[in-house]
Amino acid sequence: MILASNSPRRKEILENFGFSLEIKTKNIEEISDEKEIIKKVEDIARKKVMAVAMDNPNEFVIGADTVVVIDNKILGKPKSEKDIYEMLHLLSGRTHQVITSFSFINISKNIDIKDSQISDVSFKNISDEEIKWYIDTKEPFDKAGSYGIQGKGSYFVEKIDGDFFSVMGFPIGKFVRTLANIDISLEEIKKL
C-alpha cells in the first residue's frame, strides 16, 4: 500500500497495525473551496491521495489530513514562534476539536473512500514559561495546532474524548473498520 504522506506518525500507526507501506507524495496546494470544516479537511486529504493515485492507478493509496479547530477556526501548522504562542494561548484552559480525515483510493478497483474522526481535547491552563519550554523542544513546529499529543505536548492535555490515534494523526480503528465494510479482512491487510 502507498502512504501519500511524509508524516512519521502516520507511517508508525499504519505499520504497527501490520500495513506494509511505500511512501510516495506529491506537492499539492492544501486548499479547498468547501465551506464546512469537515468537508474542507476531507477534500484536502482526498486531493493529496488522488495526486499519488493518478500515477499509481493499480495500487491502494492512503493519506490523511489533521487540523485543530477552536472557535470554528482551523489552526494549521505554525510558521513562527509567534504563531506557537498565539495558538497555545488560544487553546490554554479550553477544549478544542482535532479532526483527522482520511482518503483511501484504488483507481483500477473503483475504490474512493473518505471519512473523518473528530476528537475533543481539553488543555490545562498553560503559562508563558511552559510555552517557551515547549518551543525550546522544537516539537511544535510541524504540528497542527502547535502541539503533538504523542510527545511532550501531552503535558498540556487534561482529557481526550475521542480517538487518541486520530489526534496523533491517523484514525486507525475507523480506517480498518472501513476496510471491513468493503470486504478487506484483517488477514488481507498485510497484502495491501
Side-chain angles (χ1 to χ4, degrees), residues 37-45 65-67 74 99 101:
I37 289 176
I38 291 175
K39 288 187 175 175
K40 186 181 292 267
V41 182
E42 286 180 352
D43 186 41
I44 291 169
D65 194 48
T66 300
V67 297
I74 294 175
I99 302 170
S101 298

